[in-house]
Amino acid sequence: MIDKLRDIYDPDFVREVFDRCSGKYIAFSLICSFGFTERWRRQCVEALPTPAGKAPTGYDLMAGTGEVWPHLLRRFPQIDAITAVDISPGMHRRALDRLHAMRAHRIRFIEDDLFASRLPPESADFIVSTFGLKTFNSDQHRRLAKLIAQVLKPGGVFSMIEASDPKGWWLRPVYRLHLLVVLPLIERLFLRGAQDFTMIGAYTSNFSDASGLARMLEEAGLEVSYRRFFFGCATAVSGRRPLA
Ligand SMILES: C[S@@+](CC[C@H](N)C(=O)[O-])C[C@H]1O[C@@H](n2cnc3c(N)ncnc32)[C@H](O)[C@@H]1O
């Protein structure tokens, strides 16, 4: 059961949620989004400007089970290494299970809270993140924006996407019903565990969209494009750190 007294944005709380859902995360996210999560990961990678250099290296923040890597390596086969950062040992283990020989040598891991992980300044040609924004509150988003500006090399590029609240869309009530009622029901009836996927619905609903993060990234000195996908059911920010 969800402990109502705990801060749902406390990294320890978030780690426990994802550790518990790690076993079923891939199937649940694919089936319950009707395949949209895969499509949005691909679109996030399409929005990433081409990283500079012959063998770029970078980070997949809040990498989870590494679902974005096939898209990233297909579009940019020149990528030399992706460092995955994730706080959850469960998700990390699943990511390791899913590595196959073809890409294992290009993936490295940091299993830690992003904000404690001390990523070296100017160490990334690119940064991606898919569905890792919702478990942060707005203070954490501000820290994330500063971190990205610091960790990117001058000219470095980024793209991040998150499921969002499609405000103004006439089918929004159906979307919210799916997120806040149907998914928790599926979890209760079929998964019979803690209400972890229910929490993901709550995080998504609180997140609203990536427009606030877009402003913070700009304030941190980055060039930013903001995009909405499928009537705003997902929103993305992408761009680069200016050269000078
Ligand atoms: C919804 S999953 C997304 C996973 C994957 N990127 C995808 O496309 O499915 C969010 C991930 O963010 C990780 N996460 C949440 N807070 C974090 C933090 N403070 N530091 C590092 N990882 C974090 C969770 O452990 C989880 O694996």
Side-chain angles (χ1 to χ4, degrees):
M1 289 300 286
I2 298 163
D3 180 348
K4 292 202 167 53
L5 294 176
R6 288 187 68 185
D7 171 10
I8 65 165
Y9 296 100
D10 175 352
D12 288 337
F13 181 87
V14 174
R15 187 184 54 240
E16 288 165 23
V17 168
F18 281 99
D19 271 348
R20 285 190 301 263
C21 17
S22 56
K24 296 175 183 122
Y25 175 80
I26 298 172
F28 192 89
S29 85
L30 186 69
I31 295 165
C32 293
S33 74
F34 306 109
F36 268 97
T37 44
E38 259 309 278
R39 176 177 166 170
W40 289 333
R41 286 186 192 102
R42 178 176 48 76
Q43 289 174 318
C44 177
V45 169
E46 284 168 2
L48 181 70
T50 303
K54 285 205 175 103
T57 63
Y59 298 100
D60 175 12
L61 303 183
M62 288 69 78
T65 47
E67 304 305 290
V68 80
W69 305 336
H71 300 286
L72 199 55
L73 294 173
R74 201 174 303 127
R75 172 141 195 252
F76 301 113
Q78 72 274 29
I79 285 178
D80 187 49
I82 304 169
T83 299
V85 183
D86 201 284
I87 198 172
S88 155
M91 296 293 268
H92 179 170
R93 222 172 11 255
R94 289 293 178 310
L96 287 175
D97 293 348
R98 297 193 73 235
L99 287 181
H100 57 73
M102 215 179 97
R103 65 177 88 104
H105 63 289
R106 292 203 269 174
I107 312 288
R108 323 202 186 314
F109 281 100
I110 298 176
E111 188 186 296
D112 203 350
D113 174 7
L114 173 65
F115 298 116
S117 57
R118 298 181 194 283
L119 307 182
E122 304 197 352
S123 57
D125 296 300
F126 66 87
I127 291 177
V128 292
S129 186
T130 52
F131 311 115
L133 304 175
K134 65 182 150 305
T135 50
F136 293 140
N137 60 27
S138 66
D139 282 348
Q140 290 164 322
H141 284 141
R142 198 169 295 284
R143 287 173 69 193
L144 175 67
K146 285 186 183 149
L147 184 79
I148 289 172
Q150 232 173 48
V151 168
L152 281 178
K153 295 178 185 171
V157 295
F158 67 92
S159 183
M160 300 183 280
I161 198 161
E162 186 54 274
S164 303
D165 185 351
K167 286 179 203 133
W169 185 34
W170 69 280
L171 283 176
R172 178 179 182 243
V174 179
Y175 174 86
R176 285 179 63 77
L177 187 79
H178 176 68
L179 198 66
L180 300 174
V181 179
V182 177
L183 296 188
L185 200 63
I186 293 175
E187 179 164 31
R188 204 166 313 135
L189 294 179
F190 299 108
L191 302 182
R192 294 170 194 275
Q195 289 167 258
D196 295 317
F197 290 101
T198 303
M199 278 310 300
I200 294 179
Y203 283 122
T204 304
S205 177
N206 288 355
F207 171 70
S208 188
D209 61 40
S211 58
L213 179 61
R215 277 190 299 279
M216 294 172 191
L217 289 161
E218 271 169 1
E219 283 161 19
L222 301 174
E223 292 168 5
V224 184
S225 299
Y226 172 70
R227 287 188 180 80
R228 299 171 85 233
F229 295 99
F230 200 71
F231 305 99
C233 291
T235 55
V237 283
S238 59
R240 67 175 71 240
R241 176 172 161 180
L243 278 171

